[in-house]
Amino acid sequence: MSKPVLRNPILLSARTSWLAWRNRLLASSRFQRFAARCWLTRPIARSRARGLFDLVAGFVYSQTLAACIATGLLDRLGGGPQTCDALAAQIDLPPEGTLRLLRAAAALQLVERLGDAWVLGSAGAALRGNGGIAEMVAHHGLLYADLADPVALLRRGGGGGALAGYWGYAEAPGAGDAESVAPYSRLMAASQPLVAAQTLDAYRFARHRRMLDIGGGEGGFVASVAARVASLELAVFDLPAVGERARARFVAAGLAGRTTIHPGSFRSDPVPRGYDLITLVRVLHDHDDSVALALLRAIHAALPPGGRLLIAEPMAQTPGAEPAGDAYFGLYLLAMGSGRPRSETEIRAMLRTAGFSRTRLLPTALPITCRVVIADR
Ligand SMILES: C[S@@+](CC[C@H](N)C(=O)[O-])C[C@H]1O[C@@H](n2cnc3c(N)ncnc32)[C@H](O)[C@@H]1O
């Protein structure tokens, strides 16, 4: 549950006084010196200093990771231990540059030293197991270009930069040709397996007969559902150029007989009927409130009585994953020029406004990447 907004004037005034006192204390250099020296407060002071340093240095860490991925360093080490010189020759960097990168990556647990050689570190190994993360990191060049002047981005209200061009439907709602949808569709397909695995573990899809995945991209989620639940008829509703990619994928996977493609835009075309389960996987947060609410209303109208909507996406104010919501996705979607991350509470309130009777949050294994809310017609 997200923290309730304080409205009681007495509680509000007490909290205001406490926060003012706390912040004066934390900002005082005398207190900082004392906290760092006293054995009782030293561990807290050190951990807070580390947290603050990470906040200051985060961009440099991200760029270290970007260099590891762009050079293929992590992939090279995936094959086993390598010396710095051997790596330097393979990744086309001078030995000094390679060593600098290796040492930076070791500090971030991306690699680690093993005698005279280097191997993957724990974070590097986990990252290699998730192809989607490397693709996400690779496309962050666009995000960072837009964030080079974050104040200007905030002033102009978002969009208008590299990321808005990448997500074509943010700049030109409901549009996109084969060439413009390909990069984002590939990225979404690469990062889809983690989301699909969690959603499939969280919800029993076999209780339904026909499922429609709205904004289903090139069909990664539908293909995962098809592999898990043999009885379900499946469909994707996405922009025509993206729908074509899904069609090709289903044909290649032998799923053409079980799947339907509905090409169109949910901004201008009706939501197809005849499905007792509709899914929105990483779609709602892409859209501003008016569009998102109109979509939820259209889905409510298209579902039969007793039908269900399932929403799966990373959400704001997720306990333990707060920075991923309002900080990362908040600024990411601002740069993209459309949508915002919403908390589970906000989504459930929107669902009630759209006419849904009962809503529920389902537990997922890694809420930082995916939370699931279901709603009954
Ligand atoms: C962030 S991607 C998510 C794709 C997929 N659900 C996934 O999780 O991999 C959003 C999808 O919504 C689609 N989309 C955007 N605007 C749309 C519209 N107006 N009508 C139909 N689909 C739309 C995009 O083409 C894209 O495939």
Side-chain angles (χ1 to χ4, degrees):
M1 286 279 283
S2 53
K3 267 193 197 155
V5 177
L6 268 187
R7 299 216 190 275
N8 178 314
I10 297 170
L11 292 180
L12 203 56
S13 151
R15 184 142 180 88
T16 307
S17 307
W18 147 248
L19 290 178
W21 179 82
R22 183 201 67 185
N23 289 351
R24 265 197 314 275
L25 188 70
L26 290 177
S28 134
S29 50
R30 256 184 77 196
F31 175 76
Q32 289 179 4
R33 270 201 313 278
F34 161 79
R37 278 201 316 261
C38 167
W39 64 270
L40 203 59
T41 49
R42 187 177 295 153
I44 305 171
R46 285 185 177 171
S47 125
R48 291 295 171 96
R50 163 75 198 263
L52 207 52
F53 188 86
D54 287 349
L55 199 56
V56 172
F59 179 72
V60 182
Y61 302 165
S62 298
Q63 292 301 76
T64 302
L65 174 60
C68 289
I69 286 170
T71 55
L73 180 86
L74 299 182
D75 288 335
R76 303 286 177 180
L77 288 179
Q82 300 247 26
T83 63
C84 176
D85 284 347
L87 278 168
Q90 293 169 56
I91 67 174
D92 197 23
L93 282 184
E96 303 73 36
T98 306
L99 184 59
R100 181 78 65 151
L101 179 59
L102 282 166
R103 293 182 69 142
L108 301 174
Q109 277 126 46
L110 292 165
V111 306
E112 64 187 68
R113 221 186 245 279
L114 180 67
D116 289 333
W118 296 84
V119 292
L120 280 180
S122 55
L127 208 126
R128 268 199 92 240
N130 261 301
I133 300 182
E135 299 246 0
M136 288 297 280
V137 171
H139 100 296
H140 272 162
L142 305 172
L143 173 62
Y144 295 154
D146 290 347
L147 285 178
D149 186 347
V151 180
L153 180 66
L154 288 158
R155 262 198 196 115
R156 72 169 184 268
L163 209 59
Y166 180 83
W167 297 99
Y169 59 85
E171 258 188 351
D177 59 20
E179 198 185 334
S180 68
V181 305
Y184 79 67
S185 296
R186 272 199 301 267
L187 174 67
M188 286 294 95
S191 57
Q192 176 52 234
L194 186 61
V195 176
Q198 292 192 69
T199 309
L200 279 156
D201 288 344
Y203 186 69
R204 204 166 62 78
F205 285 77
R207 67 197 303 158
H208 296 281
R209 269 187 332 104
R210 304 188 75 220
M211 179 191 112
L212 172 67
D213 190 25
I214 298 186
E218 52 184 58
F221 182 66
V222 157
S224 299
V225 177
R228 184 85 69 100
V229 188
S231 56
L232 212 51
E233 269 179 61
L234 298 155
V236 165
F237 176 31
D238 207 304
L239 303 174
V242 182
E244 275 316 304
R245 297 178 67 87
R247 192 186 306 283
R249 178 185 185 137
F250 293 152
V251 168
L255 287 172
R258 261 183 89 179
T259 51
T260 308
I261 309 291
H262 297 282
S265 165
F266 54 67
R267 285 167 162 264
S268 49
D269 299 307
V271 170
R273 294 184 178 239
Y275 296 93
D276 60 333
L277 175 65
I278 293 183
T279 52
L280 286 176
V281 183
R282 300 189 294 180
V283 169
L284 203 66
H285 57 18
D286 275 358
H287 301 280
D288 294 342
D289 286 356
S290 57
V291 179
L293 189 57
L295 174 59
L296 295 181
R297 286 198 160 112
I299 291 172
H300 183 266
L303 279 169
R308 199 162 253 183
L309 167 63
L310 180 149
I311 296 171
E313 63 184 30
M315 294 178 192
Q317 293 165 34
T318 294
E322 288 84 356
D326 280 317
Y328 176 78
F329 279 107
L331 289 190
Y332 185 104
L333 294 169
L334 180 74
M336 177 171 145
S338 174
R340 67 182 182 96
R342 299 182 180 87
S343 68
E344 167 235 331
T345 317
E346 286 173 302
I347 290 176
R348 291 172 71 177
M350 284 178 89
L351 285 163
R352 283 190 295 275
T353 306
F356 287 90
S357 61
R358 208 167 65 100
T359 66
R360 201 149 47 96
L361 175 76
L362 305 182
T364 48
L366 285 175
I368 190 170
T369 53
C370 172
R371 300 190 98 186
V372 174
V373 168
I374 52 169
D376 293 340
R377 160 89 155 85

